[in-house]
Amino acid sequence: MIDLRELNTRFDEIAENIRSRNMDLDLDEVLRLQQERSSLIQETEQLRQQRNDHAKQMKQKLSADERQHLIEAGKGIKGRIASAEEELKKVETRYFSLAGRIPNYAHPDAPIGNEEKDNLELRRWGTPRVFDFTPKDHMELALELDLIDFDAAVKVTGTKFYYFKREAVLMDLALQRYALDILAAKGFILMMTPDMAKESVAAGIGFQPRGSESNIYTVEDSDLCLVGTAEITLGAYHAQEMMDPEVLPRKYAGISHCFRKEAGAAGQYSKGLYRVHQFSKVEMLVLTLPEHSESMHQELVGIEEEIFQGLEIPYRVVDTCTGDLGAPAYRKYDIEAWMPGRGDLGDWGEITSASNCTDYQARNLKIRYKRNQDIEHVHILNGTAVAVSRALISILENHQRSDGSIRIPDALVPYTGFSEIRR
RNA sequence: GGAGAGAUGACCGAGUGGCCGAAGGUGCACGCUUGGAAAGCGUGUGUACCCCGAAAGGGUACCGAGGGUUCGAAUCCCUCUCUCUCCGCCA
């Protein structure tokens, strides 16, 4: 959440931000609750002070009569404290539940808008390949090469799951390993993370574990959910900690499975591997000092570009518009790969996403640092190194040959052990 | 899963109803001392929230978490979580 002390001082800015993100939130109500909470706190604290003063009087030598009198008075105070606390609790529950929905501030240069078309294209790399044959989409290629079996998965798990077979298995592992080597060389600490997390942790990162629009699977009879990304587990790794500024920036690269409900997501652009309930991903997560988060954000995008340049995938970098940011993000850059099998003529498809969430998540997770006498929240950034399912789409579709075989980009060959896939 | 032990400040560790935000020690910071260092001596050393304010200040809470008993809880009771040891099971 944002710093709620700024609710008053930056009220108009916060309200404007909510509008530009196309969100609906009664900010006046939040402010009203804040004031109500404040006066209730004053009331209960005053009563507690009375109780403490009163208890001190009891320590003196007293006649039985006086003592009895004071006990009666004490009981009265106790009752008033109880009812004041109860009222305070009610107000706080509502206050924090509403205030927690206030989104992070947006970067002043982030494009304003609600739809994908409002995203700002920053640059392109590579040239979409011109085929001298009709390119196939990844579904067709994978079927013919017996790399992915969606039909069998339907029997076992239902739609939007899949089995990887043969070289696809090694591709999954190779892509992860390829990304990890690049990240390790850049000072990232490699991690394998739990695929589950407490719902409170997911919520702290900014995911809604419950509710109809939630993208998160919850586990019955526990307070756990399946993670949608290692951002959750990596971000919470330092929860509740007071970090030494000397160790910042701290860079983590974590492997996890990612589970997403994707309820209601269907249609042409969601087919095949593009939108699935489970996939493997290498995620970058960085904790920095506030003054370093913007440059670190650029660095993360640079790493993502390096990874996909190595895979020889044409892409463009997009500055995500405010309506598409997601509550925790201050600014977000997506990399969209060229996918020749997408739509009729090929199209761009998101393969990575790098967000600067500034102190928004750190405040929920209580990750702070102390510099001299100042205590502040760290800034947290996250970015996709490789989301295997989508990376695989782009490799299959971009590097297909007329005979249906697939060329493996040189950078990946050391990790796959083969330079092409053919039958 | 069963049995037992435990959880106190940056760390170690005392504390079984009011004198405890918490002894003592270590560490850390500053000062004295020294040619310099060590030792020694002295002083200081948490977080969150609320009020007021230019600053200073005042208040409340926090001894794993949540509930309860009491005029008053680190201390008594209940529930939970976590850690450690032993047993069982297991990739």
Side-chain angles (χ1 to χ4, degrees):
Chain A
M1 60 179 171
I2 62 164
D3 184 349
L4 293 172
R5 287 171 299 189
E6 292 175 343
L7 196 54
N8 244 317
T9 54
R10 299 176 74 174
F11 187 86
D12 292 338
E13 190 184 343
I14 294 167
E16 178 56 34
N17 183 42
I18 290 171
R19 270 193 298 278
S20 76
R21 283 170 181 260
N22 204 24
M23 292 177 67
D24 186 29
L25 188 65
D26 186 350
L27 206 54
D28 292 307
E29 172 72 355
V30 183
L31 190 60
R32 197 190 63 71
L33 285 165
Q34 186 183 56
Q35 285 156 356
E36 191 177 345
R37 168 176 182 262
S38 177
S39 66
L40 280 167
I41 285 175
Q42 288 175 57
E43 187 184 331
T44 54
E45 291 193 347
Q46 225 166 55
L47 285 166
R48 286 191 193 129
Q49 190 178 358
Q50 273 181 43
R51 177 196 62 196
N52 292 347
D53 291 343
H54 190 264
K56 274 186 197 127
Q57 287 181 45
M58 294 291 293
K59 289 191 287 191
Q60 302 164 17
K61 287 196 180 84
L62 299 164
S63 71
D65 203 37
E66 285 170 322
R67 176 166 295 271
Q68 194 51 42
H69 188 72
L70 282 173
I71 286 175
E72 288 309 316
K75 284 183 179 173
I77 296 171
K78 185 154 78 160
R80 278 185 302 233
I81 289 177
S83 61
E85 281 178 343
E86 195 182 337
E87 183 65 20
L88 175 61
K89 200 171 171 180
K90 262 192 243 164
V91 170
E92 286 202 326
T93 304
R94 181 154 167 69
Y95 169 60
F96 285 116
S97 128
L98 275 182
R101 288 186 219 159
I102 298 174
N104 197 358
Y105 299 97
H107 191 288
D109 295 340
I112 309 284
N114 293 328
E115 301 172 44
E116 215 169 285
K117 65 171 173 52
D118 297 320
N119 293 344
L120 179 68
E121 181 177 313
L122 296 176
R123 58 182 170 273
R124 292 187 181 194
W125 182 89
T127 314
R129 184 172 151 201
V130 179
F131 291 90
D132 52 12
F133 58 92
T134 306
K136 298 166 179 166
D137 69 25
H138 71 279
M139 298 279 283
E140 201 176 345
L141 291 163
L143 188 69
E144 287 172 8
L145 292 166
D146 195 26
L147 292 177
I148 307 176
D149 194 330
F150 289 96
D151 296 336
V154 167
K155 294 186 288 187
V156 178
T157 51
T159 55
K160 293 191 193 296
F161 284 94
Y162 52 91
Y163 285 75
F164 276 172
K165 297 173 73 176
R166 306 175 189 270
E167 288 93 338
V169 175
L170 301 172
M171 290 287 284
D172 188 330
L173 299 175
L175 281 165
Q176 294 182 48
R177 191 72 170 79
Y178 162 70
L180 289 177
D181 273 3
I182 290 175
L183 295 171
K186 294 184 188 300
F188 282 74
I189 298 167
L190 306 187
M191 304 275 260
M192 273 189 178
T193 65
D195 286 339
M196 295 195 210
K198 292 178 186 171
E199 289 180 29
S200 60
V201 167
I205 291 289
F207 287 84
Q208 271 299 340
R210 301 269 173 183
S212 54
E213 70 278 27
S214 173
N215 204 12
I216 299 259
Y217 290 101
T218 50
V219 178
E220 202 174 356
D221 297 325
S222 82
D223 63 344
L224 293 171
C225 54
L226 297 176
V227 296
T229 160
E231 175 192 349
I232 295 171
T233 43
L234 290 175
Y237 185 76
H238 288 288
Q240 330 283 334
E241 284 183 26
M242 187 74 78
M243 298 187 75
D244 180 351
E246 293 296 309
V247 310
L248 302 173
R250 188 79 160 191
K251 305 193 275 188
Y252 292 110
I255 298 184
S256 80
H257 292 113
C258 303
F259 301 93
R260 300 185 181 184
K261 285 169 104 166
E262 305 292 2
Q268 171 77 106
Y269 276 2
S270 298
K271 73 176 183 181
L273 271 185
Y274 192 79
R275 198 173 295 285
V276 285
H277 290 315
Q278 180 184 334
F279 57 95
S280 309
K281 180 156 69 77
V282 177
E283 177 80 357
M284 303 180 281
L285 189 128
V286 184
L287 307 127
T288 72
L289 292 170
E291 65 267 30
H292 295 148
S293 67
E294 293 210 36
S295 61
M296 180 57 68
H297 196 197
Q298 303 300 327
E299 195 177 321
L300 292 184
V301 180
I303 293 168
E304 294 177 356
E305 291 188 61
E306 181 183 335
I307 287 170
F308 281 90
Q309 286 174 17
L311 297 175
E312 300 170 45
I313 306 295
Y315 64 82
R316 61 177 188 175
V317 180
V318 157
D319 194 348
T320 307
C321 72
T322 48
D324 229 8
L325 272 182
Y330 172 70
R331 198 175 202 184
K332 179 157 82 90
Y333 298 118
D334 288 350
I335 291 186
E336 298 179 349
W338 181 254
M339 297 181 176
R342 203 163 198 229
D344 291 334
L345 302 164
D347 202 351
W348 303 103
E350 181 186 331
I351 45 168
T352 74
S353 167
S355 302
N356 180 2
C357 298
T358 61
D359 59 0
Y360 191 87
Q361 298 169 319
R363 188 169 289 108
N364 293 334
L365 297 167
K366 298 184 173 52
I367 308 179
R368 299 170 297 171
Y369 66 90
K370 190 173 193 173
R371 184 163 44 178
N372 304 322
Q373 285 312 303
D374 289 333
I375 293 170
E376 298 290 347
H377 294 93
V378 303
H379 279 197
I380 298 180
L381 302 96
N382 67 273
T384 317
V386 168
V388 168
S389 49
R390 291 193 181 177
L392 198 56
I393 293 174
S394 61
I395 289 173
L396 292 178
E397 294 187 358
N398 280 291
H399 299 326
Q400 62 179 298
R401 294 193 279 230
S402 58
D403 62 358
S405 67
I406 309 292
R407 180 179 68 85
I408 304 300
D410 291 346
L412 203 57
V413 172
Y415 299 101
T416 55
F418 49 83
S419 58
E420 62 171 12
I421 305 173
R422 71 163 63 243
R423 294 284 166 261

